[in-house]
Amino acid sequence: MTMDMTTPIALADMETVGLLDVLEEPDFEAYTRLASSVLGAAMASITVLGRNRQTFTSRMGLKMADTPLESSFCRFGLSSSLLEIEDAQLDARVQDNPLVTGEPWIRFYAGATILSPTGRAFGALCVLGQEPRRLTDAERESLLLIARMVQRELRQAWRFRSLASRFHAESQHDMATGLPAGDLLEKRLVRLLDKEGASLAVVMVSLLNAQALTSQDGRRSLDSALADISQRLKASLTSNDLIGRMASDRLCIVLADPGEVSSVVEHVTQLLESAVTPAVLDDPLHSARLSAGISRYPEDAGSASLLLDRARAALDTDSGDQPGVRCYSSEMHAAFLRRQDRLDRLRAAVRSDALHQVYQPILTVRDRRLVGAEALARWRDPLLGEVSPEEFIPLIESDVGLRQAFTASSLKVACRQMAWWRREKKPIDYVSVNVPAGELYRADFVALVSTVLAEQGVQGRDLMLELTEASLITDLPVAIQNMEQLRDMGVRLAIDDFGTGYSSLRYLQQLPLDVLKIDRSFTSAMTDNETTYKLVDGIIWIARALGLTVIAEGVETPEQWNELASLKCDLVQGFLFGRPVAAGDFVFPPLPGA
């Protein structure tokens, strides 16, 4: 691969969809700052190669905005994923380079190649230094990971714009995939059922990790993934089959003349395998995971609506969130009824305030001073016993009415407890409440919070709301508007479990946040994994640059606490300092080891 062949073509692809403008946005400086922080480099840039010049579209520590192409280091690495030059003065390719013999006196260079959306190399994410150096394996992995984040953002923008230009908004078609929407698919299914002797299978397909995808880059990341998956599925279907998009994370396939049950299951399994092979996503952590539920005509139902409902029932039967293919059956119907029973019990528990809260302390890293308490919901059913939050919280989030009642109840109980602590003059700054996904977008959510604060006699500063990455970027303008109103009331706002969704750093800059909570998976691994340690360091650095307070969750060992202290993390939370307990048992935790 040569410069004259690859780079102009790559740039032409990018210019067609306006991605060069995206790269020039200030938001991308967050990635170069992250690379600089994680790798301890004084200089960093995202470098784009043109026909005659190289441009630093995002740079840190470099004064020049561009140079002649002959001065480029990264042109030597376009055919590989990573180029590392430990000492430029000893490397024949660059030892006479004016960037080596003069300002900025480069001695060390490492660049991770970035591909255009069409797969052509066009430049690199680079870190540079004025002293010879050799990267560790962990540092190389970190640089490649950050480069993939940049590449993924470019790719999603390209796909979003390509799809937007190809499909105009039609009421009966999904704009992102070009597929019939649910109503149109059901009408076509009705016509198929009217044919004499019809035999059909309705297959409801779900993208299990849709929330993780949404947290990468909002709805367009999910749309892009489903567009890829639907194209692969269509390639394996016959002209008599149907496919449509039923929901944000669901597709529906109608198979004509499917055959016996075993044949249907085998065929659908092959369809799902073909839809995710090769992987449709850049990041292996977010590989597409598909599940399917099947209903058959005339065996399982005699109408289009009932066939769709029973395919959904087969899909939604509790399977531990594991990929697979499940056929509707009487047993599955019983499982569906069991799920409905738990939902009914949960609704009754919420209505009667049978759910209770426990509280876990939040402390400063430096002097272990108690500053807050996170309120966590618990449910003990008279028949079912203690039900895990991992089981009942998803049930709550799946039902809008239940979710809204739960949110109102949680806010009231937590604020009532905070009011009591205030009356007792307890030295605690705030109580923190988790907000279920979707609640932030309720038209009356801000009013609800205001009313609860007034009724319970506490101030906005006494409350912190924890919001998930996915819920924040579902509709960014609305999220920002509601969050600004909450902050005007004095309410603190935190982004919870940061890092698990790989959401774009640009969102972090736009959202009116006060606190960033590092997910416990990072905390637990940082003492054993150098790459994770450096990523936590980078997250803390970015949060500090944005004026955010950092809370590390899941701190369970003194070693984790010491590492976080060395990184100047602000606050900690975890079993080392106190397990969640009932309000009556909540005490100021003793110093670890005391």
Side-chain angles (χ1 to χ4, degrees):
M1 181 161 54
T2 65
M3 280 295 302
D4 290 338
M5 290 297 292
T6 60
T7 303
I9 296 175
L11 285 178
D13 289 338
M14 296 177 68
E15 289 167 347
T16 299
V17 292
L19 290 182
L20 276 178
D21 293 337
V22 175
L23 271 174
E24 290 171 352
E25 293 176 2
D27 298 325
F28 274 83
E29 290 181 7
Y31 293 105
T32 53
R33 291 183 180 275
L34 178 59
S36 173
S37 173
V38 171
L39 277 77
M43 295 176 282
S45 73
I46 297 175
T47 306
V48 177
L49 302 183
R51 290 185 182 274
N52 302 309
R53 302 190 68 79
Q54 69 171 349
T55 302
F56 305 122
T57 60
S58 176
R59 64 189 187 274
M60 178 180 177
L62 288 170
K63 295 180 180 179
M64 68 281 290
D66 62 357
T67 72
L69 188 60
E70 292 75 22
S71 300
S72 170
F73 281 47
C74 65
R75 64 194 174 109
F76 298 109
L78 291 182
S79 60
S80 61
S81 60
L82 182 71
L83 172 66
E84 182 177 351
I85 298 176
E86 298 176 18
D87 191 341
Q89 291 184 2
L90 302 180
D91 193 303
R93 294 171 296 180
V94 296
Q95 60 187 186
D96 297 324
N97 191 306
L99 302 182
V100 176
T101 60
E103 288 284 352
W105 309 104
I106 295 173
R107 291 289 297 276
F108 163 77
Y109 169 93
T113 301
I114 301 176
L115 304 181
S116 77
T118 56
R120 299 179 183 273
F122 72 90
L125 173 65
C126 312
V127 291
L128 311 97
Q130 295 179 335
E131 297 291 337
R133 177 182 173 186
R134 179 183 178 83
L135 292 180
T136 66
D137 290 342
E139 288 171 336
R140 294 187 188 97
E141 290 177 11
S142 297
L143 184 59
L144 289 169
L145 174 63
I146 299 169
R148 286 198 298 270
M149 293 168 67
V150 174
Q151 188 170 297
R152 182 169 59 239
E153 186 151 336
L154 287 171
R155 183 183 182 192
Q156 301 303 340
W158 178 76
R159 286 184 172 180
F160 180 82
R161 297 186 187 201
S162 298
L163 289 170
S165 64
R166 185 182 302 175
F167 303 117
H168 59 85
E170 298 182 33
S171 61
Q172 300 226 311
H173 283 79
D174 174 58
M175 182 178 178
T177 62
L179 299 176
D183 289 344
L184 179 57
L185 183 76
E186 186 170 351
K187 290 177 183 176
R188 292 179 178 178
L189 176 57
V190 169
R191 289 199 292 268
L192 288 179
L193 295 179
D194 287 339
K195 294 183 179 180
E196 186 175 353
S199 176
L200 304 170
V202 174
V203 184
M204 200 69 67
V205 178
S206 174
L207 183 56
L208 293 176
N209 54 333
Q211 183 171 350
L213 289 173
T214 305
S215 67
Q216 288 184 49
D217 200 14
R219 176 63 181 261
R220 69 180 184 183
S221 183
L222 178 59
D223 286 343
S224 177
L226 278 184
D228 271 0
I229 291 168
S230 65
Q231 288 300 314
R232 295 176 190 274
L233 288 171
K234 286 174 67 177
S236 301
L237 299 178
T238 71
S239 59
N240 295 323
D241 299 330
L242 303 176
I243 183 171
R245 186 172 185 177
M246 305 300 289
S248 63
D249 60 346
R250 293 191 175 187
L251 302 173
C252 183
I253 300 169
V254 179
L255 300 174
D257 300 317
E260 298 297 321
V261 175
S262 58
S263 299
V264 177
V265 171
E266 182 179 359
H267 182 35
V268 172
T269 300
Q270 292 172 350
L271 285 174
L272 299 191
E273 290 175 351
S274 68
V276 295
T277 306
V280 298
L281 307 174
D282 287 338
D283 190 343
L285 291 176
H286 290 133
S287 297
R289 299 169 58 244
L290 301 178
S291 188
I294 301 171
S295 65
R296 296 179 301 143
Y297 174 83
E299 292 86 351
D300 296 328
S303 69
S305 60
L306 199 53
L307 280 167
L308 291 168
D309 285 343
R310 292 189 169 173
R312 291 189 189 97
L315 178 62
D316 291 337
T317 299
D318 185 11
S319 61
D321 196 31
Q322 294 300 311
V325 177
R326 295 179 290 279
C327 291
Y328 177 81
S329 65
S330 57
E331 293 80 7
M332 186 164 290
H333 185 61
F336 179 74
L337 292 178
R338 285 195 298 272
R339 182 178 185 273
Q340 290 303 116
D341 176 67
R342 295 205 172 191
L343 272 171
D344 291 340
R345 290 178 176 277
L346 196 50
R347 291 188 186 100
V350 171
R351 284 196 301 268
S352 62
D353 291 328
L355 269 66
H356 63 281
Q357 287 184 347
V358 292
Y359 299 86
Q360 186 173 40
I362 302 170
L363 303 94
T364 61
V365 173
R366 185 168 53 86
D367 56 9
R368 286 89 64 190
R369 181 178 65 85
L370 178 69
V371 295
E374 180 177 1
L376 300 164
R378 296 292 184 265
W379 178 32
R380 182 173 182 80
D381 182 81
L383 180 64
L384 303 175
E386 198 74 34
V387 183
S388 167
E390 286 73 20
E391 182 177 355
F392 73 79
I393 293 298
L395 285 175
I396 288 173
E397 292 184 336
S398 71
D399 184 283
V400 174
L402 179 58
R403 187 184 72 209
Q404 293 180 351
F406 171 78
T407 300
S409 175
S410 297
L411 286 169
K412 289 177 183 177
V413 172
C415 289
R416 185 183 307 133
Q417 182 59 47
M418 188 65 197
W420 187 87
W421 281 332
R422 280 280 180 262
R423 288 194 298 272
E424 294 297 311
K425 302 188 185 306
K426 298 293 185 181
I428 186 169
D429 296 339
Y430 58 84
V431 65
S432 181
V433 177
N434 290 277
V435 178
E439 285 298 277
L440 182 63
Y441 301 97
R442 283 175 55 180
D444 63 342
F445 181 71
V446 175
L448 169 67
V449 174
S450 178
T451 299
V452 170
L453 292 173
E455 289 178 348
Q456 303 304 324
V458 292
Q459 303 297 314
R461 64 175 179 272
D462 297 324
L463 175 66
M464 181 167 79
L465 299 179
E466 297 190 19
L467 308 155
T468 64
E469 292 184 64
S471 68
L472 284 175
I473 60 178
T474 301
D475 188 336
L476 196 61
V478 174
I480 292 173
Q481 177 182 344
N482 289 346
M483 291 170 72
E484 287 176 341
Q485 293 180 39
L486 291 166
R487 287 189 78 191
D488 289 343
M489 294 159 49
V491 175
R492 308 166 202 247
L493 300 173
I495 182 169
D496 193 20
D497 299 334
F498 182 78
T500 56
Y502 287 93
S503 65
S504 170
L505 295 175
R506 66 171 61 194
Y507 293 123
L508 202 59
Q509 295 177 327
Q510 296 179 49
L511 293 166
L513 292 164
D514 303 287
V515 175
L516 182 152
K517 299 192 76 174
I518 299 176
D519 183 66
R520 65 184 64 250
S521 62
F522 285 84
T523 306
S524 62
M526 66 179 295
T527 55
D528 301 317
N529 185 290
E530 185 178 359
T531 299
T532 304
Y533 176 88
K534 289 182 176 293
L535 288 175
V536 171
D537 185 19
I539 291 172
I540 293 174
W541 187 94
I542 288 175
R544 188 177 299 115
L546 295 174
L548 303 180
T549 299
V550 180
I551 301 176
E553 296 183 297
V555 181
E556 298 183 0
T557 68
E559 291 78 16
Q560 293 167 358
W561 174 30
N562 291 333
E563 294 285 15
L564 290 165
S566 70
L567 296 178
K568 295 182 172 57
C569 180
D570 301 300
L571 305 172
V572 284
Q573 177 182 351
F575 289 172
L576 180 64
F577 307 100
R579 292 177 177 269
V581 295
D585 298 323
F586 189 84
V587 296
F588 302 113
L591 298 180

